[in-house]
Amino acid sequence: FGTPSKSLWTIFEITFGGGWQKHARPLVEEVSPLWAVFFVVYIAGVLFVMFKIITALFLKDTVAVAAQDAESTIHEKIKEKARFAEKLVAIFAEADSSGDGCVTWAEFKELLEDETARAYLASLEIDATSGKFLFELLDNGDGSVSVQEFVDGALRLKGQARSADVIAVMHDCGRVLRKMDHVVDTLGAVHRKVHDERWV
């Protein structure tokens, strides 16, 4: 003690060197018992800060590992989707016997008659038991399925049966909307024709 620099050195020595008998005990026993309150508060504060620092370091490492796991999962999902699309393109090429870039119902039906092709579709989690229904889900209404329609539709159908139900509803809604557009266009033409004849 005696100067600020000596006091700092004493605090440092007490904290890291364990100099209790040399510095702390004489102050408590010979100067004032109130020094015990100071040392208790000081040591408790030091331990609290050290505990917080260690906790923060562990938390930082945990968050970093979790972020890496999430990023790895995303990359793996992207790679899995790309591999799945490549397999679908291979199936489509096998079904497209005419080589025109589109698969008709006859070509698709011929593909589904192949036991190996059905097993391959099943391995991709695509239910091929209802061939016509599956083809209608993939078809946009023009009677044939392009490679893009086949891949996009199969990606949506992959998985549990309820996915196919949702796609079926989407397909039916799209068909209804197209018919409604046709009806609206027809009614508009009729209305214009009646209007023109009325004013002639």
Side-chain angles (χ1 to χ4, degrees):
F1 302 102
T3 64
S5 59
K6 289 183 179 180
S7 298
L8 290 175
W9 173 254
T10 301
I11 293 297
F12 178 83
E13 188 177 7
I14 291 174
T15 304
F16 299 101
W20 293 99
Q21 292 183 352
K22 180 180 178 182
H23 303 293
R25 188 177 295 276
L27 287 174
V28 174
E29 295 178 351
E30 299 177 10
V31 178
S32 173
L34 294 177
W35 279 102
V37 178
F38 167 77
F39 285 114
V40 169
V41 173
Y42 172 73
I43 295 301
V46 171
L47 292 177
F48 178 78
V49 171
M50 292 180 64
F51 177 77
K52 286 295 184 180
I53 292 174
I54 294 173
T55 303
L57 292 175
F58 277 112
L59 182 61
K60 180 182 177 181
D61 292 339
T62 303
V63 172
V65 171
Q68 290 177 356
D69 290 342
E71 187 175 354
S72 299
T73 302
I74 293 173
H75 286 307
E76 185 60 32
K77 289 291 185 182
I78 293 174
K79 291 180 180 178
E80 180 183 355
K81 186 176 180 180
R83 290 193 297 266
F84 185 75
E86 290 177 359
K87 294 178 181 178
L88 291 174
V89 172
I91 294 176
F92 183 87
E94 182 179 350
D96 185 16
S97 57
S98 62
D100 59 354
C102 292
V103 173
T104 62
W105 163 237
E107 292 174 327
F108 193 74
K109 182 179 179 181
E110 183 179 353
L111 174 70
L112 295 182
E113 290 175 353
D114 185 359
E115 187 69 27
T116 303
R118 288 203 306 270
Y120 195 58
L121 288 173
S123 69
L124 298 177
E125 300 181 29
I126 298 177
D127 184 12
T129 55
S130 301
K132 186 64 176 178
F133 175 69
L134 177 60
F135 182 82
E136 289 178 351
L137 291 181
L138 299 175
D139 182 19
N140 64 356
D142 59 359
S144 62
V145 177
S146 66
V147 62
Q148 192 63 44
E149 291 172 350
F150 184 76
V151 173
D152 292 343
L155 286 173
R156 291 196 301 267
L157 289 171
K158 182 178 183 292
Q160 300 180 3
R162 63 172 179 268
S163 299
D165 297 334
V166 173
I167 298 300
V169 173
M170 292 173 58
H171 184 269
D172 292 339
C173 289
R175 182 175 297 176
V176 170
L177 287 175
R178 287 193 294 272
K179 290 183 178 180
M180 288 296 297
D181 290 338
H182 178 69
V183 171
V184 170
D185 293 338
T186 303
L187 290 177
V190 171
H191 179 268
R192 288 191 297 270
K193 184 176 180 180
V194 172
H195 183 269
D196 295 339
E197 292 178 353
R198 180 180 179 183
W199 293 99
V200 172

